[in-house]
């Protein structure tokens, strides 16, 4: 099978256009811009790159973006109180919790405080559960982007063998579930997989490569 | 690789013994037996077999089991009210919702009403999400039984290739996630899989066969 290199730029431009129109409609209807709040605890180089990109994207589309930064030392209870306040804030429509959180904060406790309808990254158990069960949910962005690309390229993966490399909660697992929902046969490989090089492509018509998380 | 036939009877007897002791302790501590309530709406032959087995098992172990049967015609709202009442009932510790529900009732709405700590079959999105994310949760019984067998037989599947046939929410998907958590490389096959016979065993050291759900 020959490979096709897919150019995502036209799709990205079209999606930005659609989102701008949607954001403008929201503004008209609600007399305020839709607003995302991102919570950043401590410093992480990768998270900060992601955070700046989010601010830029929001600005380009016409969304409000509030960046709430906390020192590394913030207690779990304090962070939970901040999340609870955003849950109740009628002017905040989506909340992004930048990962990783400082090690003394239990991620699953904080992500589960987030109201599912504001958990736009799909980090909490309600959204994850609905993704697993095949019900409507927010889907972590890598998997969601892959869906958009498949749709744009008019590729059907039904009956195909898809190999997913990596099994993180925001990468490999949601990607695999999205492909399964599209009727692909899925194989999830990871750091314990013995014959990764051999498995990766000979049988898999579609491959996605992520990171190795255990 | 040669096959070993595993006899589950000694494990089942040992687990029943442990559960009897646990149930007796609960009774002593709470001055009442632990109680499971099962909700049955309409008639389904397979569900009724399961329901009778549950009653028998509860009796053998020393749990209370209340079977609440409703006519097929029960409205979603009424069933939700019954679930809400059991959520609030301090004498009900676990709730089993027998599937399938009548077609006019939305399963995901009713299962999501169930308090996660009483959702012993792990049907709701909170438990499903925690299973997906690798956090503690109730696990659907087929997958949970498989875990118990692996542990009892002292089988490590880490680094093995596991083939799961079927992708239902109570069968294939939780089984695959449990094997993934044990560090197996997993492949989920289903009705769209093209080369099922070939895939099933040549590469998979462990296979589980369920039903084909789409």
């Amino acid at each position: 099978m020959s490979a096709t290199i897919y150019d995502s730029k036209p799709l990205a431009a079209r999606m930005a256009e659609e989102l701008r129109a949607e954001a403008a409609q929201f503004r008209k209807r609600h007399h305020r811009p839709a607003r995302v709040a991102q919570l950043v605890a401590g410093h992480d180089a990768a998270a900060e790159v992601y955070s700046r990109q989010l601010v830029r994207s929001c600005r380009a589309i016409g969304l409000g973006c509030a960046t709430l930064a906390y020192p590394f030392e913030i207690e779990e209870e304090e962070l939970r109180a901040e999340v609870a306040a955003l849950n109740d804030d009628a002017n905040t429509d989506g909340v992004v919790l930048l990962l990783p959180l400082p090690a003394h904060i239990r991620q699953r406790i904080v992500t589960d405080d987030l109201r599912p309808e504001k958990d736009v990254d799909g980090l909490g158990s309600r959204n994850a559960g609905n993704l697993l069960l095949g019900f409507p949910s927010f889907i972590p962005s890598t998997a969601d982007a892959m869906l958009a690309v498949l749709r744009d390229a008019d590729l059907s993966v039904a009956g195909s063998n898809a190999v997913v490399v990596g099994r993180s909660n925001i990468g490999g697992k949601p990607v695999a579930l999205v492909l399964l929902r599209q009727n692909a046969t899925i194989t999830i490989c990871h750091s314990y997989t013995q014959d990764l090089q051999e498995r990766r492509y000979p049988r898999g018509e579609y491959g996605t490569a992520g990171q190795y998380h255990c």
Side-chain angles (χ1 to χ4, degrees), chain A:
Chain A
M1 186 179 164
S2 69
T4 307
I5 294 182
Y6 173 80
D7 178 10
S8 63
K9 285 203 190 98
L11 172 63
R14 218 164 42 247
M15 286 180 76
E17 201 47 64
E18 287 165 13
L19 290 169
R20 265 192 293 275
E22 221 178 295
Q25 273 189 350
F26 184 101
R27 214 159 44 232
K28 206 178 268 179
R29 213 173 30 244
H30 297 272
H31 308 290
R32 65 169 181 87
R35 196 180 79 140
V36 170
Q38 57 172 338
L39 304 186
V40 193
H43 291 287
D44 178 83
E48 277 166 23
V49 170
Y50 184 82
S51 163
R52 280 195 300 271
Q53 281 172 344
L54 184 61
V55 171
R56 255 200 311 275
S57 299
C58 286
R59 195 171 301 148
I61 286 164
L63 299 180
C65 183
T67 301
L68 309 173
Y70 307 97
F72 180 87
E73 295 74 17
I74 187 171
E75 297 287 341
E76 187 178 287
E77 277 312 308
E78 298 172 86
L79 193 59
R80 294 184 68 182
E82 296 290 322
V83 168
L86 291 168
N87 278 343
D88 293 340
D89 178 13
N91 292 324
T92 297
D93 306 288
V95 177
V96 171
L97 194 67
L98 287 185
L99 303 181
L101 296 176
H104 62 278
I105 295 179
R106 290 168 300 172
Q107 182 188 317
R108 76 182 177 90
I109 301 294
V110 181
T111 51
D112 254 10
D113 283 337
L114 247 180
R115 272 177 55 188
E117 56 274 32
K118 294 193 179 187
D119 171 24
V120 291
D121 273 341
L123 297 175
S125 65
R126 291 292 284 268
N127 278 303
N130 283 322
L131 173 63
L132 176 62
L133 298 169
F135 300 140
S137 70
F138 282 115
I139 298 177
S141 52
T142 307
D144 216 13
M146 198 198 54
L147 258 185
V149 168
L150 289 176
R151 215 174 288 132
D152 182 59
D154 203 16
L155 279 176
S156 165
V157 297
S160 300
N161 301 319
V163 176
V164 177
V165 180
R167 55 169 163 170
S168 74
N169 285 337
I170 52 168
K173 283 188 219 166
V175 162
L177 286 171
V178 156
L179 288 166
L180 183 64
R181 206 188 279 186
Q182 305 277 312
N183 299 316
T185 297
I186 56 152
T187 298
I188 305 182
C189 299
H190 45 79
S191 52
Y192 281 75
T193 299
Q194 309 263 339
D195 48 357
L196 186 61
Q197 281 313 316
E198 182 201 332
R199 294 192 73 98
R200 200 147 163 180
Y201 293 112
R203 298 178 64 107
E205 289 101 13
Y206 297 94
T208 75
Q211 289 165 292
Y212 289 79
H213 289 280
C214 299

